Structure formats: structure tokens, C-alpha cells
Amino acid sequence: MKVIKVNTPGNLELQEVAKPDNVGPQDVLVKVKAAGICGSDIHIYHGTNPVATYPRVIGHEVVGEIVEVGVEVDNLKVGDHVAIDPVVSCGECYPCRIGRNNVCKSLKVRGVHTDGGFAEYVVVPGKSVYQISKDLSWPEAALIEPFTIGAQVSSRGEITAADTVLVLGAGPIGLIVLQVVKKIGAKCIITDLLDKRLELAKELGADVVVNTSKQDLPDIVFKETNGLGVTVVVEAVGLPKLLEEAIKVTSPAGRIVVLGFTETASNIAQLDITKNELDIRGSRLHAKQFPKVIEWFNNRELRPEVLISHQFHFTEVKKAIDLIETDPQSVCKIVLLFN
Ligand SMILES: [Zn+2]
Ligand SMILES: [Zn+2]
């Protein structure tokens, strides 16, 4: 079978390897059907993901069909359609014990620290896969994992219908957070530098869209919130300066959720946090959000399909990456197909 492997930073290839035959009693063998390309896959390719190790089969937004079931797995069967959870945690450390296994002390992420799902077949423990409706198309189902990121953001931000949420960045994750925010019933202001993405945001229900290259964000935020500021900010771009700006437009008692992986420091005064009792919270991967997101997908409560801008056969992965690098404006989410 073929896998997509990053041998060393900058060196990605389609490699022929043996089909896995190590299906343990608690494992399942999944024939991969579709997998999304994520910004973090590109970072691993370029050597700019500080936590990745090499060589690595990448890919963590993976769905497929079960073709073999270990003898001790009793809740899944051959033919089931499943989504694979990339989070591998110990179950015993402090974060695991309080239900936050996504930041396990010995966290491993499939496709980052261990081999992932850009492969024709993968063996995974039965407890790491979730059954999905057969009515979902494979490409849209590949969006389940990215939507768990949005569900996690909403949990970290404690977003309710009473909030006004500012989402900084209308890339795939920003547009996913927007959909989750609107599902909850909160008001959503979203920013970007590209009008094309903001048009899509409007179509997905954004209440206010702001092109920060030509509009003044604080002006608009304070006008929209009667001078209060937004109650939640989601920083989905990962720029140190945006975190500094976010603090200036957050309401007292507000929450700021950060998703960025930058190692560059933001310049923030303690006073800005203390005087308004702001909560600045990280959001990483997801903590047990798969069942909820799958229910949303199965019930067609979201519009994942509008985020898919391109589909490629997985053997054309280099073409897909080329497109992301040369024409990022035309790309939202690319899904690789494995049929
Ligand atoms: Zn991802
Ligand atoms: Zn743990």
C-alpha cells in the first residue's frame, strides 16, 4: 500500500510500504477513504511544527471503513464507517484525570508524534474510532476532526447564546468556529484580510464581517456592543499582535481563546488582564468532542461541505500542496480521496 511520508523537513514522498497485518485484539483495521489536509500537516512538511518528529506519515483528519476487527472489540464491525480520533493520551496524569486528555502530559497526536492517516490502511485501537452515519459523504466526514477543534473552542470559551464572539481569521478553523458559534445562537463578528473569505463567512451566518485591511476593528466592535466590547475573542490566526489587539476589545469578565502555535511573545501588560479579570485560555485539539460533533454531522446541523474548496486523489498530494503554497487565496479545505 502507499503512504504519504515526510522523511525530513521539506522532503515529502509517496512511499510503498507493507499493508499493516498487526491487528491486535483491541484494534481495528481501517481502509482510509478520505483525509483533510491541515495547516499543521504543511508545518510538519516545512519543519515549522515545533512538536513534530520525523520520519512521519502525516494526516490526522481521517475517515474510513472498517475492514477487520480485533477479537476483543465488541462495539464495531466490518463495514462500519468511522472517524479516527488523533488524540492518544495516558489516562492517568493530572489533565487526563480531570477530563482534559488533549493536554495529557505524554500526549501523542496521530500524524504528528506517531504515524497518521495519509495511508491506504491504518491500524488503530477500537477505542480511538467513532462510528459515523453512512449517509455522510467521505469528503464531508473528513471535516469531523476539524469541527472537534471548533467544539473545543466553544467549550474553552464557555460560549452561550448570550455572548458576542469575535473570531479573528476566517480560514478553515475560523469558519468552523463561526458555524459552532451560530449553532449555539451567539452573535458573531469575524475578521479577515480577504473579502472572498468574508463573503463565505456571511453566507455561513456571520452577523458582522470586518476586513481589517480597510476597516477599523475597535471602532466596529464597540459600536456593535454598545461600548462594552466582545465577551469572547477567538484568535484563529496565530499572530502575537492580534492577541495584543484582542485584549483591547474584550469586555470586562470576557474570555480570550488562543489557538496559535507561534513561539513569538505577545506584548501584554498585566494591568489589562487584572483590571477586567480577563481569562486567556489555550485551546488545543479536543477533549472528548467526537461524539457530540458526529451527532451534529449525522443530523446535518452544520455545513461542512462549503469549506471544501478542492479534492485530490491522495497520489496527487504534491499538486495539492503546490496549490496551497502558490494560490492560498483560492484554497479553503483540501480533502484527499483514497479510493
Ligand atoms: Zn488539523
Ligand atoms: Zn495523561
Side-chain angles (χ1 to χ4, degrees):
M1 69 163 188
K2 288 188 171 63
V3 300
I4 297 166
K5 191 182 260 185
V6 180
N7 292 310
T8 54
N11 170 6
L12 174 145
E13 67 172 5
L14 209 58
Q15 215 176 75
E16 188 68 38
V17 300
K19 183 178 159 186
D21 59 0
N22 56 333
V23 183
Q26 300 186 349
D27 295 335
V28 294
L29 178 65
V30 177
K31 162 105 189 68
V32 173
K33 294 289 189 176
I37 300 182
C38 176
S40 68
D41 296 315
I42 304 294
H43 282 300
I44 296 170
Y45 171 44
H46 286 309
T48 49
N49 180 324
V51 297
T53 50
Y54 301 87
R56 182 64 54 233
V57 175
I58 53 175
H60 57 269
E61 304 175 358
V62 186
V63 287
E65 186 175 329
I66 294 187
V67 290
E68 197 181 326
V69 179
V71 290
E72 289 172 19
V73 178
D74 49 17
N75 61 331
L76 298 160
K77 58 184 186 307
V78 170
D80 282 351
H81 292 192
V82 292
I84 300 175
D85 185 347
V87 175
V88 183
S89 51
C90 78
E92 285 159 20
C93 67
Y94 169 71
C96 281
R97 288 200 312 271
I98 63 163
R100 292 172 64 181
N101 63 308
N102 54 321
V103 284
C104 170
K105 193 76 189 71
S106 41
L107 175 72
K108 299 251 181 299
V109 182
R110 295 193 170 87
V112 180
H113 310 92
T114 65
D115 281 344
F118 286 176
E120 289 181 272
Y121 294 88
V122 285
V123 173
V124 273
K127 65 176 170 50
S128 291
V129 305
Y130 293 89
Q131 200 181 341
I132 60 175
S133 164
K134 289 186 179 174
D135 293 337
L136 298 173
S137 75
W138 290 117
E140 68 180 330
L143 271 292
I144 288 171
E145 191 277 340
F147 270 86
T148 64
I149 309 288
Q152 182 69 9
V153 164
S154 115
S155 149
R156 297 290 292 145
E158 295 179 47
I159 297 171
T160 71
D163 283 306
T164 300
V165 181
L166 170 64
V167 179
L168 299 171
I173 291 298
L175 292 170
I176 283 169
V177 172
L178 161 67
Q179 289 194 47
V180 173
V181 167
K182 290 315 295 177
K183 206 190 122 38
I184 292 167
K187 179 173 176 176
C188 190
I189 305 171
I190 188 165
T191 71
D192 207 274
L193 300 171
L194 301 175
D195 285 326
K196 199 175 155 189
R197 287 183 176 177
L198 292 172
E199 277 160 32
L200 190 52
K202 259 211 166 123
E203 198 191 314
L204 288 169
D207 299 280
V208 181
V209 300
V210 183
N211 186 325
T212 45
S213 72
K214 33 190 173 180
Q215 290 171 287
D216 187 71
L217 181 63
D219 249 21
I220 295 171
V221 163
F222 289 115
K223 203 180 105 227
E224 290 292 333
T225 57
N226 297 319
L228 179 70
V230 288
T231 52
V232 180
V233 181
V234 179
E235 208 291 79
V237 181
L239 286 177
K241 201 167 161 18
L242 287 187
L243 184 54
E244 296 162 17
E245 289 170 9
I247 284 190
K248 306 289 183 194
V249 297
T250 306
S251 151
R255 285 84 69 202
I256 297 167
V257 181
V258 294
L259 291 155
F261 253 67
T262 177
E263 293 180 286
T264 310
S266 300
N267 193 10
I268 293 167
Q270 290 190 23
L271 176 67
D272 287 333
I273 302 170
T274 312
K275 75 175 182 225
N276 286 332
E277 275 201 345
L278 299 183
D279 287 333
I280 301 177
R281 300 178 179 177
S283 188
R284 184 176 186 192
L285 302 158
H286 77 99
K288 304 185 168 74
Q289 302 283 0
F290 264 80
K292 181 165 76 188
V293 170
I294 288 169
E295 198 181 311
W296 292 345
F297 269 64
N298 288 351
N299 295 335
R300 305 264 174 212
E301 294 176 61
L302 301 160
R303 293 178 61 200
E305 71 289 347
V306 303
L307 302 178
I308 301 172
S309 58
H310 302 81
Q311 301 182 30
F312 285 90
H313 191 257
F314 79 99
T315 53
E316 297 182 310
V317 61
K318 283 194 172 164
K319 231 183 186 175
I321 290 176
D322 258 7
L323 184 68
I324 295 170
E325 319 249 88
T326 56
D327 190 10
Q329 299 202 17
S330 81
V331 177
C332 190
K333 178 59 87 179
I334 297 183
V335 174
L336 297 175
L337 305 173
F338 287 75
N339 266 336

